[in-house]
Amino acid sequence: MAVVDLSGKVVVITGGARGLGAAAARAVVDGGGQVLITDVLEAEGAGTAAELGGAARFIRHDVTSEADWQAALEYAVAEFGRVDGLVNNAGIATGQFLEHESVEHFRRVVEVNLVGVFIGLKAAIPLLRAGGGGSVVNISSAAGLTGLALTAGYGASKWGVRGLSKIGAVELAEARIRVNSVHPGMTLTPMTAPIGIQAGEGNYPGAPLGRVGAPEEIAAAVAFLLSDAASYMTGAELAVDGGWTAGLTVKHLTGQ
């Protein structure tokens, strides 16, 4: 995987203990940056930070807590001196038919996946302003670009992340704060492993490329948006989904 230049940048990544978040943290460090990994999974988060060495730190962080957000960002500044980028990656996903979804569960998913992004974006703005600008990458989903069955809370929250990203992009452009959303398709992570997906060619015919994604492939897109190479990109929605949201393949149309 190509290394994106992130030399000198300090990035906070939520949900960074494993999966997409951990891959994004590795991409930041590989690119010459420093990273604060946050997560509620303390042992795994600390382990990932230790693996990445002196350029990484970890703090326990519940993204639905304003106090936790303040503590995390203060820790980033104390350890690294500033914050240049934020990746709102933390999220939860479950499948349920709309008619069977409980209000309590729907609220919980939206609270983590959308309200957590809002709190983080709001909390990071003063630090990014103070540094003369920066980049926020909000992890949405292919389910935030199209309707997907069994994702009432998840899909609604990811559509919300997409919209919030555009609002942030418009409002914060004058401060040179870029806000973009990334929309992964089916990717092999601890979150998706329970549904039995498998890596490898031909194992995911739902996507035109015929396979599921690897965390590193999503992380490469995130690293690009964090970097100065994406300096003219804000308010964009970047689908990294093997073509899944592009349309139906010939095989799906013909059944052959």
Side-chain angles (χ1 to χ4, degrees), residues 163-213:
L164 182 61
S165 300
K166 291 186 181 298
I167 293 165
V170 172
E171 292 188 358
L172 299 173
E174 52 81 24
R176 298 299 180 262
I177 298 172
R178 298 182 294 107
V179 186
N180 295 288
S181 59
V182 170
H183 299 255
M186 186 63 74
T187 307
L188 185 56
T189 68
M191 182 183 289
T192 60
I195 66 176
I197 66 170
Q198 296 180 341
E201 297 295 334
N203 283 322
Y204 191 57
L209 287 184
R211 63 175 178 85
V212 300

Side-chain angles (χ1 to χ4, degrees), residues 142-170:
L145 293 171
T146 188
L148 182 62
L150 301 173
T151 66
Y154 181 79
S157 67
K158 293 304 187 178
W159 275 83
V161 168
R162 176 188 179 192
L164 182 61
S165 300
K166 291 186 181 298
I167 293 165
V170 172

Side-chain angles (χ1 to χ4, degrees), residues 8 10 28 46 63 69 71 91 97 100 102 118 134-135 149 166 172 199 203 238 256:
V10 176
V28 170
V63 295
W69 266 108
F97 280 112
H100 301 309
S102 72
F118 165 75
S135 175
K166 291 186 181 298
L172 299 173
N203 283 322
L238 189 56
Q256 299 176 355

Side-chain angles (χ1 to χ4, degrees), residues 132-148:
S135 175
V136 177
V137 181
N138 294 325
I139 306 301
S140 179
S141 169
L145 293 171
T146 188
L148 182 62

